[in-house]
Amino acid sequence: MLARMTTDLIIIGGGPAGYVAAIRAAQLGKKVICIEKERVGGTCLNWGCIPTKALLESAEMFRKMAQGAKAYGVNVQEVTADWEAMVARSRAVSDRLCSGIEFLFKKHGIERLQGTASVPAPGEVTLTAPDGTISNLQASKILIATGARTREIPAFPMDGTRIIGSKQALTLPKVPASMLVIGSGAIGSEFSYLYSSLGCKVTLVEALPNLLPNEDDEVSKTMERAFKKRGITCLVGAKVESVSTSESGVKAHITRPGKPDADVEAEICLVAVGVVPVVPDVQGLQLTERGFVQVNERYETNLPGVFAAGDCIGGIMLAHAASFEAVQAVEGMFLPGSTPKKPTLVPGCTYCHPQVASVGKRERELKQAGISYKVGKFPFQAIGRAVAAGETEGFVKLLFGTEHGELLGAHIVGEGATELIATPQLGISAELTDEDLHAVIFAHPTLSEAIHEATLAADGIPVHA
Ligand code: NAD
């Protein structure tokens, strides 16, 4: 047993909630310990957002070189995809960013302890180090930021080789000849695009009627068309009833109401049907019905001085929402007079090709709430910069309140969508109206002109349509 140590804040988990909380608390002059089982950075930097984006960048370069270079006047001899090198690059990108967080911890004097933490009582943390050594620590505040992990389908649990989750999909030994992907959220869609662009025959199965069902319906339809054009078989409104594995691969039985059943064989099955919270051993901790850590408006759990933020509390389960929550929780703990906020206007981005990004209200939400709105939609095919780039797929769709003209929602599918979304997001948060946006001069030639044109289109006066 090691000696007791006391500190202002102990954070359990070093992902986008935990490490950002640690930095913010250190900025506020607090003594901070961050306990992490693995490497700081969490799923996002180690096994999620960052390494997938690195692989998608490789896939995108390969697609452009292999399929499109000639159309741009570039003659290339033979273009081949070196999967091992792509994976190595992706791991190196992850490694670099995790090292960056380690550097920031040192810079801010944050102590990083490796191991598994449990909380026997408020103010007390027990740390079990990888070698089994147990230490007892004390802190005036504790923040649980343990994230989430892949949800399994009980009828056919993951075995890590034939039935896998996103973590294994990042480091497969080779590009499989075929893959069955279950679930078309961000993970399922991104991996479907990644592997199909490297020559894998992908079948994507989604239980709901649309791909990316959380997105605007027209965006989903555009995605489905684009995926089909790329050779991905998309089965929507479909349920995978069973998956059996063999030496050579998997066989799945799929049912679709009103359509014939389908049997799909593939080398590998990727399960991407959402995530479940990871909750550490905390004595007396209250959970929600769905197993998330229950917190109040200040991110405090039922245990005094024990807080939680990020994916483990549910809500909007995205890295940037987790970091926001973490900062709010820490400021609520240590900044006198601070009133923590919950994330409301959170953009969502999916990095396949075409990219998808959205923020604010969807049409179906406005209809349901009985809010009268007008739509401004503009295609990239009429935007000079998009034509020059050879990236004309998709559109910008903006939703404005009819009565006051305020921007309520933005839905973008196409090249650069994930960067473009920041403009309408600022517009919504600043409560800008269609007329405010009409008056903004957008640089020419840029993809962002589609945002301006969509604003004009909402009032029936687009220039290039
Ligand atoms: P998700 O919840 O976003 O999507 C899961 C999809 O699976 C849903 O569309 C659902 O209808 C479908 N589904 C559920 N059960 C099914 C079944 N039995 N058969 C067929 N379809 C089924 O989850 P995800 O894509 O696994 O992502 C997990 C989390 O990680 C999410 O919170 C996601 O937002 C986040 N994430 C975000 C990004 C990004 O922002 N680019 C990337 C990866 C992951």
Side-chain angles (χ1 to χ4, degrees):
M1 195 81 81
L2 293 182
R4 279 168 179 267
M5 303 199 284
T6 56
T7 193
D8 294 315
L9 174 64
I10 291 180
I11 299 166
I12 306 175
Y19 85 71
V20 172
I23 291 171
R24 186 69 192 112
Q27 286 170 342
L28 293 172
K30 301 298 162 189
K31 191 165 178 294
V32 184
I33 292 176
C34 181
I35 299 177
E36 167 59 59
K37 269 199 295 202
E38 295 170 18
R39 205 166 172 199
V40 288
T43 303
C44 169
L45 268 65
N46 288 289
W47 298 108
C49 318
I50 297 300
T52 47
K53 264 68 285 170
L55 282 177
L56 284 158
E57 205 60 45
S58 292
E60 197 48 13
M61 185 169 292
F62 175 67
R63 184 186 67 82
K64 281 198 167 163
M65 298 283 284
Q67 295 165 13
K70 206 170 168 52
Y72 292 78
V74 179
N75 291 322
V76 282
Q77 292 300 323
E78 193 196 1
V79 183
T80 55
D82 181 345
W83 173 248
E84 260 180 51
M86 289 180 182
V87 172
R89 176 177 181 276
S90 156
R91 299 318 307 156
V93 168
S94 250
D95 184 53
R96 177 174 165 174
L97 288 164
C98 291
S99 302
I101 306 299
E102 286 161 6
F103 164 78
L104 289 173
F105 271 25
K106 274 197 196 119
K107 180 181 151 192
H108 289 284
I110 298 161
E111 187 169 0
R112 185 163 55 92
L113 296 179
Q114 200 181 6
T116 305
S118 60
V119 180
E124 307 275 335
V125 173
T126 304
L127 167 70
T128 308
D131 66 1
T133 312
I134 292 177
S135 349
N136 290 319
L137 314 164
Q138 285 185 327
S140 52
K141 303 271 190 286
I142 295 168
L143 178 73
I144 303 169
T146 38
R149 62 180 162 77
T150 307
R151 181 160 82 82
E152 300 218 32
I153 301 180
F156 39 92
M158 293 188 287
D159 61 14
T161 48
R162 290 293 170 206
I163 305 180
I164 62 168
S166 54
K167 187 171 176 180
Q168 290 91 8
L170 284 167
T171 53
L172 285 180
K174 65 179 181 59
V175 175
S178 55
M179 185 182 271
L180 168 68
V181 178
I182 309 180
S184 73
I187 293 185
S189 296
E190 289 179 0
F191 278 109
S192 292
Y193 169 67
L194 171 71
Y195 279 107
S196 74
S197 64
L198 298 174
C200 172
K201 188 179 172 323
V202 174
T203 303
L204 174 58
V205 182
E206 168 57 51
L208 292 172
N210 283 330
L211 295 188
L212 285 175
N214 267 333
E215 299 294 342
D216 171 270
D217 290 351
E218 284 186 277
V219 168
S220 292
K221 289 291 172 215
T222 304
M223 275 296 304
E224 189 173 335
R225 269 197 306 277
F227 268 18
K228 284 180 173 162
K229 211 166 80 189
R230 284 169 178 72
I232 299 172
T233 304
C234 302
L235 303 178
V236 293
K239 190 164 177 238
V240 180
E241 300 290 349
S242 63
V243 177
S244 57
T245 57
S246 67
E247 281 275 289
S248 57
V250 297
K251 189 172 176 181
H253 184 66
I254 296 163
T255 54
R256 293 176 292 172
K259 289 191 181 154
D261 290 4
D263 284 317
V264 174
E265 290 189 43
E267 224 175 283
I268 287 199
C269 169
L270 168 65
V271 177
V273 296
V275 288
V276 290
V278 173
V279 180
D281 179 9
V282 177
Q283 194 63 41
L285 184 68
Q286 201 168 325
L287 304 182
T288 67
E289 244 174 57
R290 295 181 54 215
F292 293 99
V293 180
Q294 177 117 46
V295 291
N296 65 15
E297 68 289 346
R298 298 188 71 82
Y299 297 93
E300 194 164 16
T301 69
N302 62 311
L303 304 170
V306 180
F307 295 75
D311 283 2
C312 68
I313 66 166
I316 301 166
M317 294 167 79
L318 292 169
H320 41 289
S323 300
F324 176 87
E325 291 169 353
V327 168
Q328 297 299 310
V330 166
E331 291 184 351
M333 291 176 214
F334 299 120
L335 208 54
S338 156
T339 307
K341 295 184 198 67
K342 293 284 160 101
T344 47
L345 193 63
V346 181
C349 298
T350 305
Y351 296 77
C352 37
H353 190 269
Q355 291 187 349
V356 172
S358 61
V359 67
K361 300 286 183 216
R362 302 170 191 85
E363 277 195 83
R364 52 182 178 269
E365 289 170 305
L366 294 174
K367 280 184 190 142
Q368 208 169 10
I371 296 169
S372 157
Y373 64 95
K374 55 188 175 184
V375 179
K377 191 176 156 199
F378 199 83
F380 283 113
Q381 65 187 11
I383 295 295
R385 181 70 185 86
V387 176
E391 297 286 358
T392 52
E393 205 167 18
F395 55 81
V396 172
K397 178 173 172 179
L398 302 178
L399 309 175
F400 294 93
T402 313
E403 197 179 345
H404 306 293
E406 77 280 23
L407 183 56
L408 294 168
H411 305 273
I412 308 179
V413 54
E415 177 76 356
T418 57
E419 298 295 335
L420 290 173
I421 199 68
T423 300
Q425 182 184 5
L426 275 174
I428 297 173
S429 82
E431 296 181 8
L432 297 187
T433 64
D434 49 351
E435 284 180 14
D436 294 328
L437 287 166
H438 289 180
V440 175
I441 301 169
F442 284 74
H444 176 76
T446 61
L447 296 174
S448 67
E449 286 174 284
I451 296 170
H452 194 225
E453 288 278 19
T455 306
L456 297 171
D459 295 315
I461 49 167
V463 176
H464 296 94

